[in-house]
Amino acid sequence: MLRVAGARLLDDRDRAGVCAVLESDPVAACMVAARVEVAGLDPWRLGGELWGAGSRFDGLCFSGANLVPLRGERSALRSFADRARRYGRTCSSVVGRAELVMPLWDDLAAHWAPAREVRADQPLMALAGLPTVAADPLVRPVRPDELDRYLPAAIAMFTEEVGIDPRIGDGGVGYRSRVAELVAAGRAFARFEGGEVVFKAEIGALSRQVGQIQGVWVHPSRRGQGLGTAGTAAVAERLAALGRVSSLYVNGFNHVARSAYTRIGFTQVGSFATILF
């Protein structure tokens, strides 16, 4: 059997080949494509490294705050696991297409600290064009001066979704900074009632082709009233106006959210998996 050579660090000389790979799978690669389009392949500007395997980018993997396998047969994934083991775990999760993440994790599990949670079934969904339900007209971009009112909802969402408080470790300085960046970029959306957030969502990544919606949350006292469906439709409507496909991924067990996204017009285009540490 022909073996793929070990994973190598890519640089801007490889940019055309990398972009061709990313553009061939725009929905699944949105998180990485959005970074590469702005920063190129320089690790300092990119906030991570891109690893390649094979002479024609047969394998591609991003290593930063998250480890994101983007392409590769089993031998390429083994080469990524070998490189990841040598450098040790620096990521908070492994995330991407399930058919790539799970074999990669098989090679890493015995060498890295036990995962806090393995989410092996996360439908990847996309919507090209306008939503099929009415968008909430009261959902709008959050203003920078509203950050302190928006932040508690963002913290509540993260804690519910990930299972840990994002303020642990540094008192919330890092998380506040990340949320503030999204607000400043006009990619955090909310519906306020009486000065309190009752719905929120963000465009976590925005490439030339796709916008990835994340952090969808409804205040516990307002759940079951359609705010999540209409609010997410409002964000998808914004993306359609920008000429982008809307995408998101959701836990397979979250039948309520999956049903809402289907009503909006999202269809499943693949499956993600996430390994949380």
Side-chain angles (χ1 to χ4, degrees), residues 11-23 36 41 57:
D11 58 32
D12 271 323
R13 292 172 294 183
D14 303 296
R15 186 167 183 170
V18 168
C19 287
V21 172
L22 300 177
E23 289 169 4
V36 170
L41 270 63
F57 302 97

Side-chain angles (χ1 to χ4, degrees), residues 206-228:
L206 185 66
S207 73
R208 293 191 186 103
Q209 298 184 63
V210 179
Q212 186 179 85
I213 300 172
Q214 68 176 30
V216 177
W217 180 86
V218 176
H219 192 283
S221 69
R222 299 298 306 278
R223 292 174 185 174
Q225 300 176 23
L227 289 181

